[in-house]
Amino acid sequence: MGLYHCEGIILRTRGLGEADRIVTLFTKEKGKIEAVARGARRPRNRLVGVTQQFSYIKALVFTGKNLDQLSQAEIIKSFAPLRDELLKMAYATWWAELLDVFLPLNEVNSDVFLFLLAGLVVLERVPDPMLVSRAFELRLLKYLGYEPVLDRCVGCQNAAGSFAGFAPSEGGLLCRSCAGASGAQLIPVRPAAVSFLRSLYQTDLRDLARRPVDPALGNELGHLLFTFIQLRAEKTLKSLSFLQSLLAWKPPEADLN
Ligand SMILES: [Zn+2]
């Protein structure tokens, strides 16, 4: 049996039997791993507090025959606001599900790890995460090798002229003639929204977090990215439905009379 130290962010936890918990941990050193935290569902167990979703922990892991085992862990950063505020929790869960679905187990990806860590730091502080999340979604697609083509027609590669829309199945924008020829499903998108989206490849998340949020733009880009991501995921993303239902829900108007 081996033993290793790692630092990681808890993407997901699920119960195992009555007392244990399996954590999906995205580590800097080993990529995404699964490990069992023995006794982590018993109230006074030392692993209870350190195995909460989104916690950034330092851990000592035993490699087992079937499942690795989390032996010791301590919190580096708890990211408590991501569990305490419903909207932030919904965004963080969505990001975690993206990594859970798209990253294979045991594949080291320290760039994505550092990007997630930086993203969660911004998410914890930003008043309205909508555009920060669009940037996170787009950049993550790029890291994963699914970068949408936003600067030319994905069919004929022509960068000049106007585009008919974004074709999720083709992975990018289509010009009018390619759109007509392909018959692909198109999402109409305004040129201004495309150039904003393109700028998100370079924008620092911290700078973006300081800017006012344009909800119409966020929704337009959300429709495009969600459709694209959903198609690539090839399975229903539960956290996305939850996030969308939360964003659609409006509190009843206060009675001002
Ligand atoms: Zn074309």
Side-chain angles (χ1 to χ4, degrees):
M1 223 158 66
L3 188 64
Y4 63 88
H5 289 272
C6 60
E7 276 182 19
I9 295 161
I10 297 178
L11 296 181
R12 189 159 69 100
T13 72
R14 59 188 199 274
L16 175 70
E18 278 184 12
D20 304 336
R21 190 182 265 175
I22 292 181
V23 296
T24 305
L25 190 62
F26 184 28
T27 72
K28 191 155 72 174
E29 297 84 355
K30 301 264 177 184
K32 194 174 77 179
I33 64 160
E34 285 192 331
V36 59
R38 297 265 178 235
R41 293 169 77 203
R42 294 200 193 284
R44 276 186 292 276
N45 188 280
R46 67 200 155 77
L47 292 175
V48 173
V50 287
T51 53
Q52 297 199 65
Q53 200 180 15
F54 317 126
S55 290
Y56 175 29
I57 62 171
K58 187 186 247 185
L60 183 64
V61 181
F62 281 116
T63 51
K65 230 186 266 170
N66 300 313
L67 264 177
D68 288 0
Q69 189 176 329
L70 197 68
S71 164
Q72 292 170 28
E74 59 181 277
I75 300 267
I76 299 173
K77 185 166 172 51
S78 86
F79 286 114
L82 302 182
R83 291 185 298 274
D84 297 343
E85 293 174 36
L86 188 59
L87 184 64
K88 292 197 174 179
M89 187 195 73
Y91 275 106
T93 308
W94 159 234
W95 293 7
E97 188 176 17
L98 286 177
L99 292 163
D100 203 26
V101 167
F102 286 107
L103 285 180
L105 281 170
N106 307 312
E107 197 176 288
V108 181
N109 204 328
S110 44
D111 285 349
V112 177
F113 174 82
L114 294 173
F115 177 62
L116 174 66
L117 184 58
L120 293 179
V121 169
V122 173
L123 182 58
E124 196 179 43
R125 293 180 194 161
V126 65
D128 181 347
M130 188 184 241
L131 292 178
V132 168
S133 190
R134 290 306 90 86
F136 183 88
E137 292 146 15
L138 182 73
R139 298 262 191 92
L140 187 64
L141 286 169
K142 185 174 181 178
Y143 278 122
L144 296 168
Y146 296 133
E147 180 177 353
V149 174
L150 301 170
D151 59 351
R152 60 187 186 278
C153 169
V154 71
C156 65
Q157 311 298 321
N158 190 349
S162 65
F163 299 108
F166 182 83
S169 61
E170 311 301 307
L173 297 169
L174 283 180
C175 72
R176 296 192 188 282
S177 73
C178 289
S182 77
Q185 187 214 349
L186 277 186
I187 296 176
V189 56
R190 293 173 301 129
V194 171
S195 44
F196 180 78
L197 193 57
R198 222 160 31 208
S199 76
L200 292 182
Y201 277 129
Q202 274 88 37
T203 311
D204 189 311
L205 292 182
R206 287 166 300 183
D207 294 338
L208 191 62
R210 282 191 283 267
R211 288 196 226 158
V213 166
D214 173 351
L217 179 65
N219 281 323
E220 184 176 6
L221 299 179
H223 180 44
L224 186 158
L225 288 167
F226 296 161
T227 312
F228 183 60
I229 290 168
Q230 190 65 78
L231 197 74
R232 288 287 174 282
E234 294 175 342
K235 65 179 256 187
T236 307
L237 299 168
K238 278 183 275 177
S239 58
L240 179 58
S241 322
F242 177 66
L243 177 65
Q244 285 176 310
S245 63
L246 202 60
L247 292 171
W249 185 83
K250 301 254 186 318
E253 302 250 339
D255 186 3
L256 299 174
N257 296 319

